[in-house]
Amino acid sequence: MIQVCLNGRRGADDGAVVPLSPEALAESAAEAVAAGATDIHVHPKSPCGQDSLSPRVLAPTLEAIRARVSVPVGVTTGAWTEPDPVARLERIRSWTVLPDHASVNWHEAGAEELAAALIERGVGVEAGIWSGTDGAARFAASPLGPRVLRVLAEVTDTSAETAEASARALLADLGPAFGRPVLLHGEDGGAWPVLRLAGRLGLATRIGLEDTLTLPDGERALSNARLVAEGLVQYGRRPEQPGGVRDDSRG
């Protein structure tokens, strides 16, 4: 599985290629799915470009995307969308149109209650476990662990040189993860090294303008579809032998 993360917390300052409006998000989602994405993660935006959990923002975004694609669509519930955990929970309970899944960052205050409310409403939970936090330890002790849709292993190390090691450490901290599927991804400078590691390990992954604005060679990405297409290439890239010779002995 390769998930496309359409926009994240990025905004207009990150360039016109980042989709913000429901219509732009739907168009970008359709192009990304045509390029090979099998799942969508989106941050619905208010008219002023801020991440929002308001049902008046969420509903038109989900409806616009679903009018163009038939793959699952998920949203963020990050604490920055609503800093007060109680208010954030009330936002979730007020949704009139439900996403297929939603990410819950396990290191954030109120994560357990938020995840429970989503599960109660029939929304799949992506357990966001960030490197550099106590998310893995909290998740290991959670009674909700066996009930999540999957674990979203998020490598926050943005260095191309060290992100892979950070990813391996995060996976070790996660351990068996209640037997739930793991989606591994990085961000910025670590996005491509971690995606390639996910390919070697046979794990689900994601790519998109939330995670990186550039292609592996440093060229600016012009769309989510371009990132997905390159992501599929990088994910399935065969390992190289010493000296840079590509190993073509396998089918």
Side-chain angles (χ1 to χ4, degrees):
M1 187 193 88
I2 184 164
Q3 182 183 82
V4 60
C5 46
L6 295 174
N7 55 358
R9 298 175 70 179
R10 301 192 193 274
D13 291 344
D14 295 297
V17 297
V18 179
L20 302 177
S21 70
E23 296 75 17
L25 288 163
E27 179 67 20
S28 186
E31 293 174 352
V33 170
T38 55
D39 194 278
I40 292 168
H41 174 75
V42 61
H43 290 212
K45 303 283 186 181
S46 68
C48 62
Q50 300 299 310
D51 286 7
S52 175
L53 297 180
S54 167
R56 292 178 294 179
V57 173
L58 192 82
T61 298
L62 291 176
E63 289 168 347
I65 293 173
R66 284 172 170 159
R68 299 292 303 275
V69 302
S70 58
V71 304
V73 184
V75 300
T76 184
T77 65
W80 59 88
T81 61
E82 176 54 71
D84 180 5
V86 175
R88 191 160 70 251
L89 186 58
E90 289 307 309
R91 284 290 199 188
I92 300 303
R93 289 173 172 160
S94 72
W95 286 350
T96 54
V97 177
L98 297 178
D100 295 288
H101 52 77
S103 61
V104 176
N105 298 323
W106 231 260
H107 65 281
E108 294 176 346
E112 292 275 344
E113 294 79 5
L114 194 64
L118 288 164
I119 292 171
E120 182 180 346
R121 299 207 67 188
V123 178
V125 170
E126 291 184 312
I129 312 299
W130 292 20
S131 64
T133 73
D134 63 353
R138 290 189 181 192
F139 182 70
S142 173
L144 296 177
R147 301 178 63 190
V148 304
L149 175 67
R150 59 178 159 257
V151 173
L152 193 62
E154 306 200 27
V155 181
T156 59
D157 181 350
T158 59
S159 168
E161 288 71 34
T162 59
E164 180 179 327
S166 295
R168 291 185 182 277
L170 176 58
L171 293 174
D173 288 342
L174 278 169
F178 296 102
R180 306 312 301 146
V182 173
L183 186 159
L184 177 67
H185 77 95
E187 57 186 50
D188 293 324
W192 292 111
V194 174
L195 181 145
R196 288 190 287 267
L197 175 63
R200 294 196 298 275
L201 297 177
L203 298 175
T205 193
R206 81 178 201 186
I207 198 69
L209 292 167
E210 172 175 355
D211 289 341
T212 181
L213 296 173
T214 61
L215 297 166
D217 62 1
E219 179 185 350
R220 183 87 171 185
L222 297 180
S223 68
N224 278 303
R226 183 70 182 88
L227 287 169
V228 169
E230 184 60 31
L232 287 168
V233 173
Q234 296 289 319
Y235 184 90
R237 193 178 69 172
R238 294 169 181 164
E240 294 185 356
Q241 297 174 332
V245 178
R246 193 175 298 278
D247 179 9
D248 288 319
S249 63
R250 292 179 292 173

